[in-house]
Each structure stands twice: as C-alpha cells, then as structure tokens.
Amino acid sequence: MLTQNIDATFFPNFQHRSPIEKKSIINPYSKIYNQMATPVDFPKYLQSLVESYKTQQHLYTLTDLQVEVRVEKPPEDRSQLPSSKKKLETKIDRLEVLAGLRKYVQQGKVLLLGKPGSGKSTVLQRFRWEWASEALKEGDRPIPVLVQLRSDRSILEAICAEFRQAKLRVCPEEVDDLLLDRRLLLLLDGVNEMPSQQRRQDLQLFHDDNPDTPMIFTTRDLALGGSLGIEKKLEMCALTQPQMREFVHKHLPQHGDLLLRQLGDRLREIAETPLLLEMMCKVFKNSGKIPQSKGELFQEFDRQYEEFKRGAWVSDGFRRFKSEVLQQLAFVMLQGDSQRPTDGWVAISRDRAEGILECWLGDRGVVDAPTKAKEWLEDLLEHHLLQVAAKPEEIEFHHQLFQEYYAARALLKLLVERHIDAMDDERLQHFYLNYFKWTEPLAFMLSLLRDEVQAVRVVRLALDVDLRLGARLAGEVQREFQQRTVGLVDGLDVPRWLKVELLGEARSDEAIPELLKLVEYSDSSVRRMAADALGKIGDEKAIPGLLKLVEHSDSSVRSSAADALGKIGDEKAIPGLLKLVEDSDSSVRRMAADALGKIGDEKAIPGLLKLVEDSDFFVRRMAANALGKIGDEKAIPGLLKLVEHSDYDVRKMATDALGKIGDEKASPGLLKLVEDSDYSVRRSAADALGKIGDEKAIPGLLKLVEHSDYDV
C-alpha cells in the first residue's frame, strides 16, 4: 500500500493507467518496456531456423552417432580410486545422440561431452532444427536458441544476437522475462572454448540463476570449464568399426574398400570421429595417400586444401605463405593475453589479426606489410580455414582443431630451429607443458616430430609436470618411438591401478603386453580397469586376453571385458560374447548386446533375438539397437514375431530395429502396429515405415495423419 500511495502522489491518475504505462513510469528505461509491449514473433524466428538449416544439412552426417549415459556421477574424493571405480559400476544407457538429448533435457540440464571433431556442434545444429520444426506446429514448446560460448559476449547479449539474425529486435530485459517464464531452450556450445575465466564464472552464475530453464551444454573436456554441477552427462561414443566402414563407403563409393584395406586396423587410431574420417576420405580421394597419424592427416589436408577450393583467385604471394600465416596467427591466438596465461583466444577482432600479421610480415622484410596483412587475411577468410565469428567484427578458425594444428606446426618449428623456449627444459615446461590449452597442439606436434631423442625428452618432461599429460603424449609420438615413450610410463613407480589408467591413456599397442598381464591380477578392480584400458586402445591383439575374462567370476570384470571387445570391434570376439548372452547378470547381458552390435556381424543375430525379450529394459534396448546396427534381413523373421509381444516396450524396440534394417518385408508386420494400443509403438511404426519407403504402407500411414497425438 505504501508503494501504491507514493506512486499515486508523484504520478497523478497512476492507478488508472495500463500495466505497461505503469511499468514505464516506475522504470526510467520506458522505451525498453514499450518495446516489450510487442510480443516476440517466435514463428518468424522458428521459420528462419528451419530455412537456414536447409543450406547446412550436409554438415550433419547421419552415422547413427550415439551417446553413453552413466546414471551416477563420479565421487568428489578421488583419493580412494580403486573403491571409487567400483562406485562407477552403474547402469550405462546408450542412445542415439538426438534421442538421448531429447530424453534427458526434459529431466533438467544436460552436459554433452565429446572428443574434438566428434560432432557435438553439428548435433546441436540438427537438434535445433528438429525442435524448431516441431515447435512451429506445436505452440507450447520452448524456443530453441543456440549460443556460441567462444564469443566474448554475455549470455543475454548472445541470445539477443541470435534473434537479431532472424531480424527480430529483442532486448536483454525481454530475454530475462522469457527465461523466467521458461520459454527458452538454450543450446550452449563450447564450454571449453570460453575466452576467459571471468566468462566461465559468468556462465556458472547464469546456470545457477536459471535453475528451471532447460539447457544443453557441450564441452570437449571437464578440465576446462568444469561440469557446472550438472549430473546428467552424455558422452559421445567413438564411431564403431561398422559405422566407420559405412561412412567411408558413403563418401568413397568407388574407392572405399581400397582405403579400408590399406588402413587395416589403424582406421580407429587415425579417424574415429566424423570430422577426421571426412578429412581422411577427402585426402585419399584426392591423392590416394594414407596418412600415418592424425598430425600427418592434417598436414596433408592443409597441403591439398587449395585443390579442394578449386584454385580460387588470391593475392600475389599468398599461396607461398598461407600455411606460415595460419601458423603464426594460431600460435599468437593460443598464447592469448600474457596477463591471463591459462586462456587462449578462440576468436579475435579482425583489427588485432591484421596487427599480428603486419608485425610478422614486417619482421620478415615483406614490402608494404600493412596492405599484405589486410589482403592475405581476406584471402584466408574467403578461401581457407578462417571464418567470420559470431560477432561480425571477429574472426576464428573453422574448427578449434585446425587452430591447434597450426599452433602445433609453429611449436614444431621452435624445436627444429632450436629456439630457447623449446630447448630449455624449464622454459618448455613453464610456457607449454604447464598449460592445458597446449595439450592438443603438443599432441599434434609430437605426431609430426621425426627426432626420437626430442620426442622422448618432451614426454619425460610432460610426465614430470602431469602423469596423465605425459601418458597421453607418450602415445602420440611416431609409432617407431612409442616403445621408448610408453616404456617411460610403464616404468613409473605408482600404484598398480594408476599405472593401468596411464597405460590406457597412452592408447598405444605398445601398452598391450603389460595390460594383458594385469588382466589376470589378483585385485578384481585392477583387472576390470585393465579391460577398460585395452578397450580404449582398441587393438585386436588384446582379444585373446579379454576372452579369458568372459568367464570370470566377477560380473563387473565380465562386463568390462564385453565392453572392451565391442570397442575393438573384431568378429573373432563373437563366440565369447555369445556366451554372455545367457549371463545371470543383466549388466553383462547388456554389454554383450552392445558389443555384438558394434561388431555388426550377422552371426550375432540369433543370440540378440533372445535378448530382445529379456526381462531387463536396458538389455532389450541394447539388443534391438544392435540388430538395427547389424541391419541384416535375416533378423526380420525373429523381429516380426516380437511385434505381437504382450510388452509394448518389446514391440517398440523390435519396430525401431526393423526401421533401421529398412527392408520392405517388414512392412506387413509394421502396418499391424499402426493401430497399436500404445502411442509410442504407433509412432515408432510410422517412423519405421517411412524409413522403409514402401508405397504399400501409404494407406496405413494416412490413418495416422489426423491422430490426436502430434508426435504420431
């Protein structure tokens, strides 16, 4: 009452004014609130998202990308690690990534983890498009907004900028109201790419201040940016061998078999993510060359990129210097501000980039360095691996991995030219090994370094700084040097469980003999961790040792062995895995089903058909998913029996699998489910019939067009 009386005293007829007028009087920023009187044209925004994605659909590679979800989060105290590892033995759910995001974002905030190039950003683009398409038809859905965290903007400013792309004027105060009303679904991409510690603190505060707003965050590593206190973590799974083969054949229909034969069992080592695999296909198609490491893959891609761009016109001298220019730019950007040595710059202003190049060109005696800097920067933006960032006045690399690769080339030059920062042990540790931001460039650099003495030296210095960093780098040096570098890790005087973790971190086949010994160690937690490490390495030489664990008395060891065999993905593991189909422990059966699906061989079909009727929901899901991955029509008769199962969930899983197989022989059985009593089964049946594409399904599908359930 007091506030109302004061308002009435100072503003005559206050009580008779409209709510918007009152708001304008009370708040000095009346123009802002007058703008808020006009509702945001969300249909226009959603339509712009749908239209813009049509030109970008090629970015989303439909390789059945999956995520792994662990229900329990790791304990805060990792000092008792062997027992902590046992606590991590929780149910693991594996889902197609888009389905996983849909499921878990409805339960709260989600953190999507994945290696560089695993497809996190591309997945968000696809997710936003699908969600926007559905929101256009369904008015009560939250509005999806994608925010690139690499920008130095505040979150509110970034959201406003996204609306502005659709020609909508929305101010921060309006965004705040939308957040309070739970009208937005935020897709926050690149926690690890945030430009400063202050921005990371701001993000944490924003997260805490908006507990009811659904959000999906992406990051490559929890060490940068942390987990933000989010319990639901979805981790992008590496491509399986069948997925890699499918990807290669899709991109190289005529030469795919040749590439796969030449790579042999090294495909996963070099190109286990969609980005790297696409680069591999382009390099091989263009030159017939097979790079021997990730560093060589980027080196060859860099060399051939001009041919990919079909020889566009560029400024004089640009072609001779373009790689060096990119190296200098990437190196200085990663160094960042000397006052904030832990942070690099993912994006920088165009003026600053021109200044960096001008200084560098001037030092090299290039005539008219200011003009050349401007011209060559423009060439890089138009014809090479730079692009305009979220803020139009800033630039960035097409992908952070390219920035890290070119910075690695600059690091390599320091070593080759024996620069003091690279040759003095303390300086190398202080300026590079000591900072997380240099981990990927160091890994790239070591894969290109042909000096064994220097490679071993860098790994030894890294082990002195951080054991896990040193172990990672030990497996990145050239293959012929790995016996010595992995030997450094194996020779560490550390607890057994830690040595197992470090050998797994190296991901080198040089670690396999020692890990196979530890597979038979007396402590079951060490045995299980050794199986996990062998799965990370993914080399078929580990199969005999892992098959011994299939009959181990500890169910967690059997489960880890099955998981590792699936990651290796060789059909020699199938007989041992089929034994686990009958295992008494549901987690073991689940891992066996998942592993058989990753291997993707038709010999697994009979065992998997048994598991589709398993009493455990997760086992049924894994088995049906595995049958879909195998994609062989031999599974159809068994799956068709299950479309009449009394359990709706079994019917749905069988339907999903039939859709993935995509054979018209499944159409009659699926048409029966068009009128199923359960809406989720009807929806899956419609989706499966669409994938099969048989015109005989049209009458049945037409019945569903006017179904009361929108998703159906």
Side-chain angles (χ1 to χ4, degrees):
M1 288 297 294
L2 177 63
T3 303
Q4 185 177 352
N5 290 336
I6 290 174
D7 292 336
T9 302
F10 285 95
F11 302 103
N13 302 317
F14 179 86
Q15 294 182 45
H16 301 292
R17 302 197 181 203
S18 71
I20 291 176
E21 287 176 313
K22 289 179 181 178
K23 215 171 190 181
S24 300
I25 290 170
I26 294 170
N27 194 299
Y29 302 105
S30 57
K31 289 184 179 180
I32 292 173
Y33 285 108
N34 283 329
Q35 290 172 5
M36 291 176 66
T38 305
V40 180
D41 188 355
F42 285 130
K44 179 182 178 182
Y45 170 70
L46 295 169
Q47 189 63 46
S48 76
L49 297 183
V50 172
E51 292 299 321
S52 66
Y53 187 79
K54 287 179 180 177
T55 63
Q56 304 175 37
Q57 290 191 47
H58 64 284
L59 295 175
Y60 189 81
T61 308
L62 294 174
T63 51
D64 193 22
L65 296 176
Q66 291 198 318
V67 284
E68 179 177 286
V69 188
R70 293 180 183 268
V71 177
E72 291 184 4
K73 63 178 181 178
E76 296 295 328
D77 182 12
R78 295 181 63 86
S79 60
Q80 306 293 326
L81 229 157
S83 59
S84 296
K85 286 286 177 180
K86 292 176 184 175
K87 290 180 183 178
L88 280 175
E89 291 181 85
T90 58
K91 284 190 175 180
I92 296 174
D93 194 7
R94 281 199 179 90
L95 301 162
E96 289 185 13
V97 60
L98 293 170
L101 291 176
R102 283 177 176 275
K103 175 180 177 180
Y104 287 102
V105 79
Q106 294 176 23
Q107 301 175 18
K109 296 178 174 59
V110 173
L111 185 61
L112 180 63
L113 294 158
K115 290 182 177 180
S118 60
K120 302 181 296 297
S121 299
T122 312
V123 162
L124 284 192
Q125 293 272 3
R126 175 74 178 203
F127 182 88
R128 181 178 65 164
W129 172 71
E130 289 190 2
W131 193 278
S133 301
E134 293 159 9
L136 273 172
K137 301 166 187 172
E138 216 181 328
D140 59 347
R141 281 182 175 240
I143 305 303
V145 181
L146 179 61
V147 176
Q148 300 290 350
L149 294 176
R150 67 179 63 178
S151 169
D152 202 33
R153 289 173 170 147
S154 70
I155 305 295
L156 291 181
E157 289 171 340
I159 295 172
C160 293
E162 280 297 297
F163 284 119
R164 190 175 183 83
Q165 291 293 317
K167 304 294 189 289
L168 292 175
R169 185 179 286 108
V170 180
C171 65
E173 287 78 10
E174 285 178 285
V175 171
D176 202 42
D177 282 348
L178 292 170
L179 290 168
L180 286 171
D181 294 338
R182 300 186 64 185
R183 296 294 310 280
L184 301 181
L185 165 61
L186 298 183
L187 312 175
L188 299 124
D189 191 25
V191 174
N192 60 285
E193 298 180 39
M194 299 192 75
S196 67
Q197 182 61 30
Q198 182 59 52
R199 278 285 172 247
R200 288 190 279 274
Q201 291 171 358
D202 292 344
L203 179 65
Q204 182 69 63
L205 188 62
F206 179 84
H207 167 277
D208 297 342
D209 286 346
N210 295 279
D212 297 325
T213 299
M215 301 181 194
I216 299 173
F217 300 82
T218 71
T219 188
R220 68 157 63 166
D221 199 299
L222 293 179
L224 276 178
S227 68
L228 301 168
I230 299 172
E231 290 190 23
K232 288 292 183 295
K233 300 179 184 66
L234 280 62
E235 184 166 5
M236 299 284 289
C237 297
L239 294 176
T240 63
Q241 290 288 344
Q243 287 174 326
M244 289 181 177
R245 290 193 291 270
E246 179 187 353
F247 189 106
V248 169
H249 283 125
K250 187 180 293 184
H251 285 72
L252 296 173
Q254 296 180 335
H255 306 291
D257 286 331
L258 180 60
L259 171 60
L260 292 168
R261 278 198 304 273
Q262 291 190 34
L263 271 172
D265 61 356
R266 301 201 57 221
L267 181 62
R268 183 178 172 206
E269 176 187 334
I270 300 173
E272 67 177 351
T273 66
L275 174 63
L276 298 182
L277 203 49
E278 185 172 2
M279 289 172 62
M280 174 69 78
C281 289
K282 285 185 175 181
V283 165
F284 185 77
K285 182 178 180 180
N286 200 53
S287 66
K289 291 186 177 180
I290 300 287
Q292 296 303 303
S293 67
K294 190 168 73 172
E296 288 186 19
L297 171 61
F298 274 77
Q299 191 173 41
E300 189 62 26
F301 187 85
D302 175 34
R303 192 185 68 77
Q304 296 181 18
Y305 195 80
E306 186 177 317
E307 296 175 43
F308 299 155
K309 299 298 289 184
R310 302 183 184 277
W313 184 90
V314 290
S315 307
D316 291 341
F318 171 76
R319 287 191 173 89
R320 285 189 297 119
F321 287 99
K322 66 176 174 59
S323 187
E324 291 178 76
V325 169
L326 286 166
Q327 291 172 36
Q328 178 67 14
L329 196 58
F331 187 78
V332 175
M333 286 173 67
L334 206 57
Q335 281 183 318
D337 187 343
S338 61
Q339 301 301 311
R340 300 188 310 203
T342 59
D343 300 320
W345 298 325
V346 178
I348 59 171
S349 70
R350 189 183 292 236
D351 289 344
R352 175 173 275 169
E354 289 175 358
I356 292 169
L357 297 184
E358 183 180 334
C359 287
W360 181 75
L361 292 170
D363 290 343
R364 294 175 66 91
V366 174
V367 177
D368 196 7
T371 301
K372 284 295 183 188
K374 290 180 182 294
E375 289 179 348
W376 288 1
L377 188 64
E378 195 62 37
D379 289 335
L380 290 171
L381 285 166
E382 289 187 9
H383 308 300
H384 215 70
L385 292 166
L386 292 184
Q387 64 187 15
V388 177
K391 293 173 74 172
E393 64 272 20
E394 292 184 340
I395 64 169
E396 63 188 9
F397 281 81
H398 279 320
H399 193 284
Q400 194 175 1
L401 271 179
F402 289 116
Q403 179 181 349
E404 289 164 338
Y405 162 72
Y406 287 110
R409 291 282 301 276
L411 266 181
L412 181 64
K413 189 180 294 184
L414 292 183
L415 268 175
V416 171
E417 296 177 355
R418 305 185 70 79
H419 190 281
I420 187 172
D421 286 349
M423 300 311 295
D424 182 275
D425 290 354
E426 289 186 4
R427 292 176 72 87
L428 182 62
Q429 287 178 318
H430 176 76
F431 290 116
Y432 303 107
L433 295 169
N434 196 38
Y435 293 110
F436 192 88
K437 65 183 181 181
W438 287 104
T439 300
E440 289 297 330
L442 285 163
F444 270 123
M445 184 267 288
L446 285 172
S447 72
L448 296 169
L449 182 60
R450 300 188 182 281
D451 185 328
E452 182 175 7
V453 173
Q454 287 297 335
V456 173
R457 168 181 166 258
V458 172
V459 172
R460 183 179 288 112
L461 292 172
L463 285 168
D464 288 342
V465 171
D466 180 270
L467 293 178
R468 284 183 172 79
L469 169 66
R472 159 82 191 280
L473 297 183
E476 295 287 354
V477 302
Q478 300 206 352
R479 286 173 71 84
E480 58 266 33
F481 306 158
Q482 288 181 17
Q483 184 176 5
R484 287 187 63 187
T485 55
V486 175
L488 293 176
V489 179
D490 191 22
L492 292 170
D493 184 16
V494 295
R496 193 82 57 174
W497 61 264
L498 180 55
K499 182 175 291 187
V500 172
E501 278 206 346
L502 296 175
L503 289 171
E505 191 70 32
R507 295 185 61 169
S508 166
D509 57 8
E510 293 291 342
I512 292 175
E514 181 61 24
L515 288 170
L516 286 174
K517 294 177 189 174
L518 295 171
V519 159
E520 301 182 37
Y521 193 69
S522 57
D523 186 332
S524 64
S525 65
V526 171
R527 291 195 298 270
R528 180 169 54 79
M529 292 166 66
D532 290 340
L534 288 166
K536 278 186 178 180
I537 296 169
D539 193 289
E540 63 181 35
K541 291 195 286 287
I543 292 176
L546 289 168
L547 286 174
K548 293 178 183 178
L549 300 183
V550 165
E551 299 179 16
H552 196 279
S553 58
D554 187 330
S555 63
S556 67
V557 174
R558 298 196 301 275
S559 179
S560 293
D563 188 34
L565 288 166
K567 288 175 178 174
I568 294 171
D570 192 282
E571 63 182 33
K572 291 194 287 289
I574 291 176
L577 289 168
L578 286 174
K579 293 179 183 177
L580 299 181
V581 166
E582 310 281 352
D583 198 274
S584 58
D585 189 288
S586 63
S587 65
V588 177
R589 299 195 301 275
R590 188 163 62 247
M591 280 301 181
D594 184 54
L596 289 167
K598 287 177 177 174
I599 294 170
D601 192 281
E602 65 184 47
K603 292 193 287 289
I605 291 174
L608 288 168
L609 284 170
K610 294 178 185 176
L611 292 183
V612 177
E613 298 184 76
D614 196 272
S615 59
D616 184 275
F617 166 80
F618 289 99
V619 174
R620 295 197 299 270
R621 184 203 293 274
M622 289 290 194
N625 192 30
L627 287 166
K629 282 182 181 176
I630 294 170
D632 194 287
E633 62 182 34
K634 294 186 182 69
I636 292 176
L639 288 168
L640 285 175
K641 291 178 185 176
L642 298 178
V643 300
E644 299 180 11
H645 198 280
S646 59
D647 187 329
Y648 79 91
D649 187 59
V650 174
R651 298 197 301 275
K652 181 181 183 302
M653 297 296 178
T655 301
D656 290 340
L658 287 167
K660 289 177 181 176
I661 293 170
D663 193 286
E664 63 183 33
K665 289 195 286 290
S667 295
L670 289 169
L671 282 169
K672 295 178 183 177
L673 298 181
V674 165
E675 300 183 35
D676 194 271
S677 59
D678 184 84
Y679 83 95
S680 65
V681 176
R682 295 193 297 269
R683 184 172 57 199
S684 292
D687 185 50
L689 287 165
K691 289 176 179 175
I692 293 170
D694 184 356
E695 64 181 26
K696 293 191 289 291
I698 293 174
L701 287 170
L702 284 173
K703 295 178 183 178
L704 296 181
V705 171
E706 297 182 8
H707 197 278
S708 59
D709 184 284
Y710 164 75
D711 285 330
V712 174

